[in-house]
């Protein structure tokens, strides 16, 4: 039941991302305030749904639920708890879910901490991030679903990649992802500046704190 909840949460997240990637951009282009105001709540709802999906996948690894194909391929019941949690991103499907989870986290942060920016600019930034998220969610749902069932369930799983069975490498991928994905915020600000025709220094100034934080995470990841 838990894997099905996670799968359904991803579908709801895709719906939210579609709303986020269309209405705010259209509203900013047409000057429709109601559409612009959809940007923040849809971004936050999308984050909640993806977080639920990620927690559901983590639960399948922690409880060694080998009726899920991805868990059976990348974990086993003898792994310490820390490595069972790290095994969530030990393969392609989980890595993609971690990527989109971090992307939704950055998007949610922009929606919460950009109150002093022009609403139309924020709507465009969140809209662009929503379009990026749509691509990743479609890829996960149609070609790389981590919640696919294994029937009958495996009595025991394989193992986590030995390269990830190290404390430094447990932390290394999430830190790198936080850095890499964080630069999508700078990309969204740049595209929003092009869409609005505001090709001055303001958009770069607004994106600088986000770029700096992403740079810090990326530096930590490379150091690890």
């Amino acid at each position: 039941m838990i894997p099905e909840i996670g799968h359904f949460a991803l579908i709801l997240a895709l719906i939210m991302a579609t709303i986020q990637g269309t209405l705010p951009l259209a509203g900013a282009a047409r000057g429709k305030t109601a559409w612009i105001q959809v940007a923040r709540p849809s971004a936050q709802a999308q984050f909640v749904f993806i977080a639920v999906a990620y927690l559901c996948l983590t639960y399948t690894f922690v409880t060694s639920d080998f009726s899920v194909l991805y868990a059976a391929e990348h974990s086993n019941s003898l792994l310490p708890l820390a490595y069972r949690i790290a095994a969530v991103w030990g393969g392609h499907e989980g890595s993609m879910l971690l990527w989109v989870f971090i992307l939704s986290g950055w998007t949610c942060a922009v929606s919460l901490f950009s109150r002093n920016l022009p609403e139309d600019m924020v709507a465009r930034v969140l809209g662009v991030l929503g379009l990026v998220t749509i691509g990743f969610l479609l890829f996960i749902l149609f070609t790389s679903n981590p919640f696919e069932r294994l029937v009958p369930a495996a009595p025991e799983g394989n193992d986590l990649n030995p390269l990830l069975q190290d404390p430094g490498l447990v932390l290394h991928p999430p830190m790198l992802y936080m850095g890499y994905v964080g630069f999508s915020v700078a990309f969204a600000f740049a595209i929003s500046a092009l869409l609005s025709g505001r090709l001055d220094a303001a958009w770069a100034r607004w994106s600088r704190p986000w770029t700096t934080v992403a740079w810090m995470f990326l530096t930590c990841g490379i150091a690890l």
Side-chain angles (χ1 to χ4, degrees):
M1 182 65 179
I2 296 297
E4 283 71 32
I5 292 174
H7 187 210
F8 185 61
L10 284 180
I11 295 172
L12 293 177
L14 177 60
I15 294 171
M16 288 296 104
T18 303
I19 293 171
Q20 176 192 332
T22 53
L23 284 181
L25 288 174
R30 299 185 179 186
K32 293 183 178 292
T33 304
W35 292 6
I36 290 174
Q37 292 175 345
V38 168
R40 295 183 196 271
S42 61
Q44 293 160 16
Q46 177 210 128
F47 170 72
V48 170
F49 289 131
I50 294 177
V52 168
Y54 189 81
L55 289 174
C56 287
L57 186 61
T58 302
Y59 180 82
T60 66
F61 276 82
V62 170
T63 59
S64 296
D65 181 1
F66 300 130
S67 68
V68 176
L69 176 62
Y70 179 67
E73 289 177 339
H74 296 284
S75 181
N76 65 50
S77 59
L78 299 179
L79 283 174
L81 178 61
Y83 291 141
R84 272 182 278 160
I85 295 173
V88 174
W89 58 81
H92 175 73
E93 293 88 343
S95 293
M96 293 302 299
L97 183 57
L98 176 63
W99 185 283
V100 79
F101 175 50
I102 292 174
L103 177 58
S104 69
W106 278 103
T107 304
C108 183
V110 172
S111 74
L112 293 172
F113 300 110
S114 297
R115 302 288 181 182
N116 58 333
L117 300 186
E119 283 297 313
D120 63 326
M121 185 67 176
V122 175
R124 289 189 175 97
V125 170
L126 293 177
V128 171
L129 289 171
L131 293 175
V132 174
T133 307
I134 289 171
F136 281 106
L137 287 173
L138 287 173
F139 181 80
I140 291 172
L141 286 168
F142 288 102
T143 69
S144 190
N145 186 358
F147 297 108
E148 183 179 346
R149 286 287 193 177
L150 178 62
V151 181
E156 183 56 271
N158 291 331
D159 196 9
L160 173 64
N161 184 340
L163 290 175
L164 295 177
Q165 295 183 37
D166 177 88
L169 287 169
V170 165
L171 298 173
H172 168 70
M175 285 291 182
L176 277 184
Y177 280 20
M178 284 292 291
Y180 285 136
V181 178
F183 285 110
S184 63
V185 178
F187 166 77
F189 270 99
I191 297 299
S192 301
L194 289 170
L195 291 173
S196 63
R198 299 176 184 172
L199 300 178
D200 52 18
W203 74 268
R205 185 172 65 253
W206 294 334
S207 68
R208 186 178 299 141
W210 303 100
T211 307
T212 302
V213 173
W215 197 354
M216 290 169 59
F217 276 113
L218 188 56
T219 301
C220 290
I222 293 172
L224 286 169

